[in-house]
Amino acid sequence: MLREDLQKYFDKVYPNSRVDTEHTLGGQVHIRFELSGEELENGTTERVNQAVERACTLFNDTFTNSENEIWVLIYEYEGENMFNASNEYLHQQFPKKRFKEFYNKKENVITRYFTTDENGNEVPEKDEVRIIIGKVPSSEINIEGILRGIANAEMGFEPAIDQRIFFFDETSNKAFQMYDDRGCYIWSNEADTIRDTYLKRNKWIVDYHRPEIDEYFK
């Protein structure tokens, strides 16, 4: 039921998003934040620490009621990953009993890449990916441990997280994803839903994308 219920939520609020197609996830309005910045050297604890501090702040801005159950959507790609990170570390950031209740199955996931068939037509590639879905209060998630693991990955530090993880609040219609030490996204279906964070954390917005982002909030 968890997978079906999450897709029903997407169909209602984010109709272009599909559980089995990671690159479709997103809202009509998004903000891209810079977490570490060019002023901090790659491979340093200072860079990781700033990324984690900002990411935690933005996560807490997004999910203000820690007792609300939020959706967790994880993609685990098969085989060795380039960072030599253990998948188990991310699993351990959730209560063991809760995690056992998560949806946890391998699926063929459509990628953003295409191949050509015998007729010369482009067809999307598919990868076998483990999809994990749960719903849990954010207070029960070791979110700092997760965000630090994401920030650590490209820096070569441990523990590291190579999985892709997304968070959705069905009550507020806000979502959050940290993609690496460089940045994260917050999105929603309406600008007013995330306007407070846009105003409060405006200095952290990625300058390259600022014109597009500012347009949402005029």
Side-chain angles (χ1 to χ4, degrees):
M1 283 295 293
L2 284 169
R3 190 197 189 288
E4 290 80 4
D5 288 347
L6 179 57
Q7 186 59 59
K8 286 178 184 176
Y9 171 63
F10 285 166
D11 292 342
K12 180 181 177 182
V13 180
Y14 306 118
N16 295 320
S17 296
R18 293 199 54 80
V19 168
D20 64 355
T21 314
E22 179 191 339
H23 67 267
T24 65
L25 300 181
Q28 291 88 331
V29 179
H30 71 269
I31 312 173
R32 183 173 177 176
F33 291 98
E34 189 169 60
L35 299 179
S36 51
E38 295 181 359
E39 72 278 4
L40 295 173
E41 186 180 351
N42 270 331
T44 62
T45 55
E46 290 80 9
R47 183 181 176 94
V48 168
N49 287 341
Q50 178 175 296
V52 174
E53 183 178 349
R54 286 189 180 184
C56 284
T57 298
L58 290 163
F59 182 92
N60 290 327
D61 284 349
T62 306
F63 308 112
T64 54
N65 186 344
S66 63
E67 297 310 311
N68 272 359
E69 287 194 331
I70 60 175
W71 286 105
V72 178
L73 173 58
I74 300 168
Y75 296 89
E76 286 185 359
Y77 288 83
E78 294 296 293
E80 292 185 6
N81 61 72
M82 61 185 296
F83 306 117
N84 196 33
S86 166
N87 289 338
E88 293 303 312
Y89 173 73
L90 175 56
H91 304 172
Q92 293 164 0
Q93 307 315 300
F94 301 93
K96 185 179 293 186
K97 184 178 178 180
R98 286 274 195 177
F99 190 79
K100 286 182 178 179
E101 297 171 349
F102 284 11
Y103 173 90
N104 190 328
K105 291 184 179 179
K106 291 181 182 179
E107 297 189 24
N108 287 322
V109 170
I110 300 171
T111 73
R112 64 176 67 247
Y113 303 105
F114 292 82
T115 56
T116 304
D117 64 17
E118 62 273 12
N119 298 317
N121 300 315
E122 285 192 336
V123 293
E125 290 187 359
K126 290 187 176 182
D127 282 338
E128 188 174 58
V129 178
R130 182 171 296 278
I131 294 179
I132 300 172
I133 299 170
K135 202 173 187 184
V136 60
S138 58
S139 60
E140 296 186 18
I141 305 170
N142 181 9
I143 191 61
E144 183 175 352
I146 292 174
L147 301 180
R148 186 168 295 278
I150 296 170
N152 278 344
E154 290 197 13
M155 298 296 102
F157 299 145
E158 293 183 352
I161 289 174
D162 187 54
Q163 298 105 310
R164 307 278 286 175
I165 179 167
F166 300 80
F167 301 93
F168 304 87
D169 188 336
E170 194 171 355
T171 303
S172 66
N173 292 332
K174 297 178 183 180
F176 175 94
Q177 184 222 356
M178 178 181 178
Y179 50 88
D180 58 28
D181 64 286
R182 293 171 298 171
C184 70
Y185 289 100
I186 291 174
W187 69 80
S188 186
N189 56 339
E190 295 180 357
D192 283 344
T193 306
I194 53 176
R195 187 180 298 276
D196 285 351
T197 304
Y198 166 77
L199 295 172
K200 189 186 298 185
R201 312 299 176 191
N202 199 272
K203 290 182 179 180
W204 296 350
I205 292 174
V206 176
D207 284 335
Y208 182 80
H209 296 277
R210 184 177 290 277
E212 174 192 357
I213 294 167
D214 287 346
E215 191 68 26
Y216 293 134
F217 297 94
K218 282 186 176 180

